[in-house]
Amino acid sequence: MRRNILYTLLLSLLLLAAGPAARAQQQDLELARQYFSQGDYDKAGELYGRLIQNERLFHAVYPDYLKTLLAQRDHKEAEKLVKKTIKRFPDNPNFEVDLGRVYQATGNKGAAEKQFDKLLQSMNPEAVIVVANAFMQHELFDYAEKTYLRGRELSKDQTAYTRPLIALYAYRQKNDKLIPEVLNLLQENESELGYVQSRLQNSLREEENFDLLEKELILRVQQNPEKLSYSEMLIWLYIQRKDFYSALMQARAVDKRTRTGGTRVMELGTISLKNNDYEGAIEAFQYIVEEYPDGPYYLVARQRLINAREEQAENTFPVDKEKIQALITDYEALLSEVGRRPETVEVLQHMAGLYAFHLDDKEKAIALLQEAIQMPRANPSLVADSKLTLGDIYLLKGEPWESTLLYSQVEKSHKETPIGHEAKLRNARLNYYNGDFELAQAHLDILKMATSREIANDAMDLSLLITDNTGLDTSTVAMEEYAAIDLLIFQNKLQEALAALDGMLQKYPGHSLTDEIYFQKANIYERIGEFNLAVESLQQIVGNPQYDILSDDALYRMAYIFEENLNDKAKAQELYNELLVKHQGSVYAAEARRRFRSLRGDKLN
């Protein structure tokens, strides 16, 4: 018992004696770090040189001491330190990497590579991640890659370390290596499709990288036709490039192999229609109608097929009245086939729009919409949409009070929904037509936060139009005149609108609305088939650096007219290229690039 008491007393005395020394060493360590951070390497090195002898502090001192020696260019002492440390810790590959770094610092590249290669050759499979991380820590990325590839050799598994390699290639933007690596992951596990798409979407930016991916995918589809994930990747790629037709062709090929009811083709048809690829949409829905007459999508496909032809007719200028009448005939045939029932409310709505806006038969349109609104068990959203169309037709007739009543009904019955926001947007636009800009802005300020991006963007555009042209002047007379002309255009009174726009150019020379006026004139000329006059109006915007806001819109529209309407492919190609050079961030850039490449003769599918 006496011995135990003496031992405890002795230990206490030792600890008390060691306390001040330990505190002094800790203070020296903090001081050394301060000198190091200030770039005073001589003082830092002197302190670190003493502290490194303390086994307890070794791991805290070693990294900064090595950095200090390298900063002092004391390569001999650095090499000595690392070699000594390797002998003490032979199983830690981090120090082997440090030795190579010392050789690099001396400028002896050969010795450094020899050291790194020796480490890779002697490495065991369990050390791969540790060694790779050591190289990564010092930004020796090529050797980190070699470490993972050596790990594959050691494990005899060519799919090992795929994810860290993907991360490494993505970080270094080595897309030529990233692409096959992510596709190898897909080769092993098709359920990784979402991860692969996400990785590539974040990494691929340049067109040549998409070309690399396309070539690799086409090769793999040919070599592995049973791997549907490769075909899905091709569809995804074409959608990223807005090459919807190529995406559709691939989706159709997959459907023919799998006979899965045309779900993917229906999706591509809908995407194509939303992106104004009318031919692609028509082909998609036609495929469903022909291939699956008894399938679950038949009725929807029949209807959307006519919808796609309708949008194509309405956006092919000048609008062909015979095609409009043919569309009505198609809709009537569909109603005769399936009957007038809740599922066909949308058909009635489309027919009403054709009658009112293209055949000037507003009473027929109103009758069809009232039938749709009163349809028992009809989808409430479709009924609401029919009310909005009916409101538009009353505005077409010059009865804005009826319009706002219908818009307000939908706004109230469908609060905080996309259809309710659309109703608020139409009310805002009606206030704008009437010159009540303050009330219009009150609606638009709310709609800028709408969940629907399209509605939010439309609200922002109209809001900017108002604020840009009313904010600096106390007078809003010019803006009121322009808004009234906008209403004339909505009502298809195009010649009257043209005359009024020309009048504004004379009455308000140099006004902030000038670019908007020229753009509206171009739209009207395009609608009536006067394409050369449309180009002349657009040139007024493109040729004047003052009109920067609409210049990319005008440039794209000019190129489109030259390509689609004036059949001057060379001029269109020149203008698309000009847009890509001058307006790289334009919303039209992707479509302009696709059209430019097509005109240049690039193979897009």
Side-chain angles (χ1 to χ4, degrees):
M1 183 176 176
R2 187 178 176 185
R3 184 182 296 173
N4 288 339
I5 293 171
L6 287 171
Y7 176 78
T8 304
L9 182 62
L10 182 62
L11 182 61
S12 300
L13 289 170
L14 285 171
L15 287 171
L16 285 170
R23 283 196 296 273
Q25 287 173 341
Q26 187 62 39
Q27 288 172 352
D28 284 348
L29 179 58
E30 290 173 6
L31 185 59
R33 286 171 175 168
Q34 185 177 341
Y35 285 138
F36 178 80
S37 67
Q38 293 171 347
D40 193 342
Y41 302 119
D42 289 340
K43 290 180 180 177
E46 185 180 342
L47 286 169
Y48 282 137
R50 290 203 308 268
L51 293 169
I52 197 75
Q53 305 304 320
N54 187 312
E55 191 170 329
R56 182 177 63 84
L57 292 175
F58 179 84
H59 289 290
V61 172
Y62 170 84
D64 284 344
Y65 186 32
L66 178 58
K67 289 177 186 175
T68 302
L69 291 172
L70 293 177
Q72 291 177 304
R73 299 184 182 278
D74 191 349
H75 301 131
K76 187 173 181 180
E77 189 62 32
E79 182 178 355
K80 183 179 173 183
L81 168 68
V82 176
K83 284 184 173 178
K84 191 174 179 181
T85 305
I86 290 172
K87 285 182 180 179
R88 285 184 65 187
F89 306 101
D91 297 325
N92 191 329
N94 286 280
F95 303 124
E96 298 281 355
V97 172
D98 284 343
L99 184 56
R101 289 174 55 230
V102 171
Y103 292 145
Q104 279 185 329
T106 66
N108 193 340
K109 184 180 177 183
E113 290 178 351
K114 184 177 179 181
Q115 171 63 21
F116 294 146
D117 290 339
K118 184 179 93 171
L119 172 59
L120 292 182
Q121 289 305 311
S122 62
M123 177 180 65
N124 60 55
E126 292 73 27
V128 171
I129 298 297
V130 175
V131 173
N133 286 340
F135 282 125
M136 292 276 285
Q137 183 182 352
H138 300 294
E139 298 186 355
L140 296 165
F141 299 118
D142 286 340
Y143 272 94
E145 178 187 352
K146 288 179 180 179
T147 304
Y148 291 128
L149 296 177
R150 172 65 177 155
R152 282 183 173 174
E153 289 178 17
L154 294 172
S155 65
K156 296 182 173 56
D157 179 2
Q158 290 307 301
T159 63
Y161 308 107
T162 295
R163 285 184 185 273
L165 276 169
I166 288 172
L168 178 60
Y169 292 145
Y171 176 75
R172 302 192 71 198
Q173 298 182 339
K174 283 193 166 187
N175 293 313
D176 57 327
K177 293 186 175 182
L178 172 67
I179 288 168
E181 199 64 49
V182 293
L183 295 183
N184 285 343
L185 182 63
L186 210 55
Q187 176 82 21
E188 289 302 308
N189 187 355
E190 293 193 83
S191 68
E192 297 281 9
L193 182 63
Y195 169 79
V196 168
Q197 290 174 348
S198 175
R199 264 297 180 188
L200 290 175
Q201 191 165 37
N202 291 332
S203 299
L204 302 189
R205 293 287 184 270
E206 302 301 323
E207 196 63 34
E208 57 264 28
N209 293 325
F210 285 112
D211 290 340
L212 279 174
L213 177 58
E214 182 182 20
K215 288 175 183 175
E216 184 73 21
L217 280 170
I218 289 173
L219 180 64
R220 294 195 181 216
V221 167
Q222 292 169 345
Q223 292 174 342
N224 307 274
E226 77 288 352
K227 293 280 184 186
L228 294 180
S229 55
Y230 287 146
S231 295
E232 284 293 335
M233 277 299 302
L234 259 181
I235 294 169
W236 173 84
L237 169 61
Y238 290 136
I239 291 173
Q240 301 305 302
R241 298 172 94 168
K242 296 189 179 297
D243 185 0
F244 303 109
Y245 189 77
S246 296
L248 172 63
M249 293 300 98
Q250 192 63 34
R252 199 170 67 176
V254 171
D255 187 73
K256 281 186 177 294
R257 288 207 312 269
T258 59
R259 301 304 293 176
T260 50
T263 302
R264 204 74 174 89
V265 178
M266 277 294 294
E267 290 174 2
L268 261 297
T270 303
I271 292 171
S272 297
L273 185 55
K274 191 174 182 180
N275 285 274
N276 305 325
D277 179 8
Y278 307 120
E279 291 294 341
I282 289 168
E283 194 157 340
F285 300 135
Q286 187 72 49
Y287 173 84
I288 299 296
V289 168
E290 292 175 355
E291 292 291 323
Y292 299 102
D294 299 318
Y297 299 118
Y298 175 77
L299 177 58
V300 178
R302 275 289 308 275
Q303 186 173 319
R304 288 188 183 171
L305 176 58
I306 309 171
N307 294 163
R309 288 175 178 153
E310 178 184 342
E311 289 203 30
Q312 184 181 45
E314 289 184 319
N315 288 280
T316 303
F317 304 119
V319 174
D320 187 334
K321 296 291 178 64
E322 289 185 6
K323 288 184 178 178
I324 298 298
Q325 190 60 63
L327 286 164
I328 289 174
T329 301
D330 288 341
Y331 279 130
E332 287 174 342
L334 178 59
L335 289 174
S336 296
E337 180 182 340
V338 302
R340 293 169 114 86
R341 51 197 178 103
E343 293 81 4
T344 58
V345 163
E346 196 174 350
V347 174
L348 299 173
Q349 184 186 332
H350 278 268
M351 289 174 66
L354 293 174
Y355 274 116
F357 288 94
H358 298 291
L359 300 181
D360 198 27
D361 191 344
K362 302 178 188 67
E363 298 309 317
K364 177 69 173 177
I366 290 171
L368 286 166
L369 288 168
Q370 287 175 340
E371 180 186 349
I373 291 166
Q374 294 163 12
M375 181 75 70
R377 300 182 305 281
N379 184 312
S381 292
L382 289 178
V383 171
D385 207 26
S386 298
K387 285 185 178 182
L388 294 184
T389 305
L390 184 56
D392 289 347
I393 293 169
Y394 278 119
L395 189 55
L396 200 61
K397 287 182 69 179
E399 300 178 26
W401 290 110
E402 293 291 339
S403 300
T404 195
L405 181 64
L406 287 159
Y407 297 155
S408 298
Q409 281 180 13
V410 174
E411 194 178 335
K412 186 177 180 181
S413 63
H414 288 73
K415 287 181 180 178
E416 302 308 319
T417 67
I419 194 78
H421 290 152
E422 179 62 36
K424 186 181 284 291
L425 179 61
R426 295 195 195 193
N427 254 330
R429 191 170 282 119
L430 185 53
N431 295 135
Y432 156 75
Y433 289 147
N434 291 332
D436 192 343
F437 303 129
E438 190 173 338
L439 186 53
Q441 282 285 24
H443 287 300
L444 296 171
D445 286 341
I446 296 170
L447 290 169
K448 289 176 196 174
M449 307 302 292
T451 52
S452 166
R453 188 174 64 181
E454 289 180 8
I455 291 173
N457 287 345
D458 287 346
M460 183 67 74
D461 289 344
L462 183 54
S463 177
L464 287 173
L465 175 65
I466 294 170
T467 54
D468 287 351
N469 297 288
T470 59
L472 297 177
D473 287 328
T474 53
S475 171
T476 60
V477 174
M479 191 70 233
E480 288 171 17
E481 288 186 30
Y482 183 81
I485 295 170
D486 248 355
L487 178 57
L488 290 176
I489 295 169
F490 178 82
Q491 294 172 330
N492 281 326
K493 298 175 182 178
L494 302 183
Q495 293 300 333
E496 191 178 339
L498 271 176
L501 288 168
D502 284 332
M504 283 196 72
L505 288 173
Q506 294 178 355
K507 190 175 178 181
Y508 305 104
H511 194 279
S512 58
L513 277 165
T514 303
D515 56 341
E516 297 284 351
I517 292 170
Y518 278 121
F519 202 77
Q520 280 288 31
K521 284 187 67 177
N523 286 338
I524 294 172
Y525 282 133
E526 196 176 351
R527 282 175 64 176
I528 64 179
E530 295 286 355
F531 301 112
N532 285 309
L533 291 175
V535 168
E536 286 180 20
S537 291
L538 293 168
Q539 186 59 52
Q540 294 291 332
I541 301 171
V542 172
N544 191 330
Q546 182 182 346
Y547 306 140
D548 185 55
I549 294 176
L550 284 177
S551 57
D552 63 324
D553 303 69
L555 197 53
Y556 176 78
R557 205 65 215 164
M558 279 176 66
Y560 181 89
I561 291 171
F562 274 111
E563 180 185 5
E564 298 291 341
N565 305 115
L566 298 177
N567 200 31
D568 188 341
K569 309 298 183 187
K571 183 63 176 177
Q573 186 177 338
E574 176 191 326
L575 291 171
Y576 286 132
N577 187 58
E578 186 179 341
L579 186 147
L580 292 170
V581 171
K582 291 183 177 179
H583 305 281
Q584 296 178 13
S586 170
V587 294
Y588 302 102
E591 180 64 11
R593 184 178 294 107
R594 187 187 71 80
R595 287 177 173 271
F596 173 78
R597 294 177 71 232
S598 176
L599 290 169
R600 192 174 61 184
D602 295 5
K603 189 175 184 296
L604 299 183
N605 54 40

